Amino acid sequence: MPWRGAFSISEYEGTYRMAEYSSLEKIRLQKIEELRAQGIEPYPTRAERTHTSLQAIAALEAAPAGEETEIRATLAGRIRATRPMGKLVFTHIEDGEGKIQLFLRVNEIGQEKIDFFNKYYDLGDFIQASGVMMRTRTGEATLQVHDFKMLAKAVSPLPAAKDETLDDGTLVRHAALEDAEIRARQRYADLAVNAHIRENFRQRAAIVKALRSYLDGEGFLEVETPILQPLYGGAAARPFVTHHNELEQDMYLRISFELYLKRLLVGNLERVYEIGRDFRNEGVSFKHNPEFTQLEFYCAYADYLKVMELTENMIGHVCDTVFGTRKFTFEKEPGKAYELDFSTPWRRLEMRQGILETSGIDIAEYPTAEALFKAIVTRHPHKTPDPHVTRGKLIDFLLGEFLEPTLIQPTFLHDYPRDISPLAKPKPGDPLTVERFEGYVAGFELCNAFTELNDPLDQEQRFLDMQTDYSDDEEEKNPLDEDYLRAMRYGMPPNGGFGMGVDRLTMLLTNNRSIREVLLFPALRKEE
RNA sequence: GGGCGUGUAGCUCAAUGGCAGAGCAGCGGCCUUUUAAGCCGUUUGUUGAGAGUUCGAGCCUCUCCACGCUCACCA
């Protein structure tokens, strides 16, 4: 907000650096000043509440007929609608659980208080009201107010206006806050006004809790590893760089947890997991945010087949405990909804087979990048991949172009090319392929897992190969982590590892097609 | 980063290149069971910013800003 000079009210003049106030805000500031002039503090320090909105309604419903007037309650919440009628006022307040109607009546509180309410209370203000529970003529559970108090005056009007409930119970939103930018930038206003958004985030919290409870139940230890790292690794992504002044060295925000968690397996912690933030300095899109929540776990003496079972059971557990069902509707595009079924077992599909079925190309017949490239351009002349990439990248291209869009129901796509999987263990008898799978749902990648490479000499060679393979591609070049190799030389048990974007899982289960909808404060350019 | 699109009152949206508008919110009044309460009256604008074309620009052109979609990127 540009500074445009102080608001003229004497109370504030010269005292604060004032934003530019709208005419609506100036009126509310005037009300604040008038309240203070009357000795009424518009921001009192303490509040009281005996019932939440739901508790008050439940108490009324539980009361035997004729004893309703015994139910005294003090409620607190934000004013969302007012209907003043001269000698009566109906108003709805909203608290953390829902809405409840307040009824101010001249017979109980007198005209003076009615007028005072109408003059000084606005939509958005926090109010405390006490009285007795009653039912209106239409049967709505309502608090008949005997006394009320301002808890916090809102200077700025909330962006949304009103809801209408039709006879059939449908909620129609009028002048609702829909602007995507305002909703994301001012999430506080979005949450205050859009109850269904609050529900999204409650569900997200429940999902994370259910993931934890499943892994805890399976004997996994939750750990925390460094976010600020001297080297980054475990994924192919550009990192954020920062600098430590005293140590006089650059530090990186982690792009994955993998290399630290596997060090713990060397230390005989057999089952570990971490839920936390990864940072990738890359493009922002409806499914990418520069920081996102990742779950990784590593399980000693397991292979990727065991990890598949853990995965489908873990997600099944989340579905059951949070939603009570394994069937979900996901609207990937407007008007294009999928019915997803997370029942176990998920479909297993070998990548070679999947690519053959969807593109007509059997990658096993083309063991070199040159041969595979030729096969692709011959069969699909209108779809041309970059000719200078590795065989693994070409397979990735086929996967993205042809196979991925067909993977709607939960599917484990398994057995990946070795050269795009430098931390995965080769399949016995097939040196070009590693034991890796990705979980696909609704046509996009949900998770990634493999039988972890635990041969320190092979690992060292893979790192060196990466350095040369991508020598002309700085962005792909991961630093060689000598300490990780040192750890592995002490001996790492065979193990299966797993990583999943928690934001993406939340998107799927809450039917949100944009990652912004499941992040409270998604990354945005700074405002002017 | 490329392409396409959007930006008008606090909110949701109108306006052939010709006086910037409506509903809600706000303000004043009436109203003792309302729930988008209603009725009467009424206020609010740097049309994202800047430049240009034109007698005249919300509208056309250019630059910039923000956001959305999409492509690239994301093993």
Side-chain angles (χ1 to χ4, degrees):
Chain A
M1 278 283 192
W3 188 88
R4 293 281 179 104
F7 178 58
S8 63
I9 287 180
S10 58
E11 175 83 10
Y12 297 96
E13 201 167 16
T15 307
Y16 301 109
R17 180 184 155 274
M18 300 300 277
E20 184 183 8
Y21 286 108
S22 70
S23 57
L24 276 63
E25 290 167 328
K26 286 176 182 169
I27 289 163
R28 291 181 178 217
L29 289 172
Q30 186 69 41
K31 291 177 181 177
I32 288 173
E33 189 174 61
E34 287 179 20
L35 285 172
R36 289 215 166 106
Q38 295 172 39
I40 297 166
E41 174 50 50
Y43 302 98
T45 304
R46 288 179 225 296
E48 287 170 26
R49 171 161 82 168
T50 61
H51 296 68
T52 64
S53 56
L54 287 188
Q55 287 167 347
I57 292 166
L60 182 70
E61 276 164 4
E67 290 181 23
E68 291 89 348
T69 53
E70 305 295 312
I71 302 165
R72 307 193 62 82
T74 299
L75 307 178
R78 193 196 278 279
I79 298 173
R80 292 304 310 281
T82 55
R83 293 176 291 282
M85 303 184 63
K87 294 185 166 56
L88 305 177
V89 179
F90 288 97
T91 182
H92 270 96
I93 65 168
E94 184 169 25
D95 64 16
E97 293 182 351
K99 288 185 187 169
I100 187 166
Q101 183 168 255
L102 307 183
F103 180 33
L104 284 67
R105 192 164 176 240
V106 67
N107 306 40
E108 276 72 30
I109 60 174
Q111 191 64 43
E112 203 175 309
K113 281 194 175 179
I114 300 271
D115 292 342
F116 180 81
F117 180 88
N118 286 333
K119 182 164 170 125
Y120 291 110
Y121 286 68
D122 290 302
L123 299 185
D125 294 350
F126 281 92
I127 185 177
Q128 172 181 314
S130 43
V132 295
M133 291 301 295
M134 58 163 283
R135 282 191 191 280
T136 61
R137 263 177 211 168
T138 58
E140 180 169 353
T142 297
L143 183 76
Q144 177 148 305
V145 176
H146 294 158
D147 198 14
F148 58 89
K149 174 187 175 186
M150 182 75 76
L151 289 182
K153 181 79 191 157
V155 173
S156 304
L158 283 170
K162 290 184 174 177
D163 294 343
E164 175 183 17
T165 310
L166 301 178
D167 290 341
D168 63 0
T170 327
L171 191 71
V172 181
R173 309 192 67 82
H174 295 278
L177 174 61
E178 287 170 346
D179 182 283
E181 181 177 359
I182 296 176
R183 285 192 47 230
R185 270 194 208 285
Q186 302 187 36
R187 183 67 86 190
Y188 34 86
D190 185 33
L191 290 166
V193 143
N194 291 325
H196 61 289
I197 304 297
R198 294 201 288 269
E199 191 51 32
N200 266 358
F201 290 101
R202 289 202 185 92
Q203 289 181 338
R204 178 182 170 124
I207 288 167
V208 173
K209 196 172 179 179
L211 290 169
R212 279 206 167 88
S213 74
Y214 179 82
L215 291 169
D216 292 344
E218 291 292 319
F220 283 83
L221 179 72
E222 182 171 10
V223 298
E224 294 179 272
T225 61
I227 292 172
L228 207 52
Q229 304 181 345
L231 288 175
Y232 60 95
R238 273 180 287 168
F240 286 92
V241 188
T242 185
H243 187 79
H244 190 291
N245 292 339
E246 278 300 305
L247 297 179
E248 292 184 345
Q249 68 175 37
D250 283 343
M251 305 282 280
Y252 303 93
L253 299 184
R254 67 181 172 193
I255 59 172
S256 86
F257 320 155
E258 173 147 5
L259 299 183
Y260 278 97
L261 290 179
K262 285 197 286 194
R263 281 170 168 94
L264 299 178
L265 268 61
V266 172
N268 272 26
L269 294 174
E270 293 184 358
R271 295 187 168 200
V272 293
Y273 76 98
E274 180 165 8
I275 295 176
R277 217 65 71 83
D278 269 346
F279 305 84
R280 296 187 182 177
N281 204 342
E282 283 158 359
V284 178
S285 78
F286 72 97
K287 55 179 175 177
H288 298 274
N289 196 63
E291 55 180 302
F292 61 98
T293 299
Q294 180 89 348
L295 161 67
E296 289 190 24
F297 69 71
Y298 292 85
C299 184
Y301 315 115
D303 62 5
Y304 75 148
L305 297 175
K306 171 69 179 170
V307 175
M308 285 182 200
E309 286 174 28
L310 284 168
T311 302
E312 59 196 5
N313 288 334
M314 176 173 71
I315 290 174
H317 173 82
V318 171
C319 295
D320 295 346
T321 55
V322 180
F323 300 94
T325 177
R326 295 202 177 185
K327 294 188 167 62
F328 292 81
T329 301
F330 184 71
E331 195 174 1
K332 193 172 183 188
E333 295 161 32
K336 193 174 178 185
Y338 296 120
E339 298 301 320
L340 303 177
D341 185 351
F342 288 91
S343 300
T344 57
W346 294 12
R347 176 187 180 207
R348 268 84 167 152
L349 177 64
E350 192 189 355
M351 182 197 263
R352 174 189 164 192
Q353 188 62 30
I355 289 177
L356 176 60
E357 286 169 9
T358 52
S359 75
I361 294 171
D362 185 353
I363 55 174
E365 291 178 10
Y366 308 99
T368 66
E370 293 72 24
L372 185 55
F373 179 79
K374 196 180 282 182
I376 293 171
V377 295
T378 304
R379 191 157 186 117
H380 301 284
H382 52 291
K383 300 201 179 189
T384 312
D386 183 343
H388 303 296
V389 300
T390 64
R391 177 171 179 274
K393 285 275 192 179
L394 290 173
I395 292 173
D396 208 39
F397 171 84
L398 289 171
L399 169 63
E401 279 302 309
F402 298 99
L403 181 52
E404 231 179 67
T406 72
L407 302 176
I408 303 304
Q409 292 307 321
T411 301
F412 292 128
L413 189 67
H414 60 86
D415 294 352
Y416 276 62
R418 172 190 155 117
D419 74 88
I420 57 170
S421 313
L423 299 161
K425 202 162 188 170
K427 243 179 124 61
D430 184 354
L432 288 180
T433 306
V434 293
E435 292 197 348
R436 171 181 175 186
F437 74 84
E438 291 188 334
Y440 278 87
V441 183
F444 70 79
E445 180 194 338
L446 175 65
C447 58
N448 181 21
F450 26 90
T451 306
E452 302 289 339
L453 182 57
N454 65 339
D455 175 343
L457 302 178
D458 189 357
Q459 185 67 74
E460 183 167 5
Q461 191 56 50
R462 302 275 197 103
F463 280 160
L464 293 172
D465 289 347
M466 293 290 285
Q467 307 265 311
T468 53
D469 282 353
Y470 301 117
S471 54
D472 57 345
D473 187 349
E474 275 305 312
E475 291 175 8
E476 294 276 353
K477 194 189 275 181
N478 271 7
L480 199 157
D481 192 334
E482 294 286 2
D483 178 69
Y484 178 66
L485 291 172
R486 176 170 65 187
M488 199 181 276
R489 279 187 220 111
Y490 284 118
M492 178 187 292
N495 70 94
F498 170 88
M500 176 176 71
V502 174
D503 313 283
R504 290 201 183 168
L505 177 66
T506 306
M507 287 164 66
L508 283 172
L509 299 184
T510 60
N511 191 23
N512 281 300
R513 60 178 299 276
S514 169
I515 198 168
R516 292 238 166 117
E517 294 295 326
V518 300
L519 294 171
L520 281 168
F521 298 101
L524 296 170
R525 275 199 180 78
K526 74 176 177 191
E527 289 182 270
E528 284 254 312

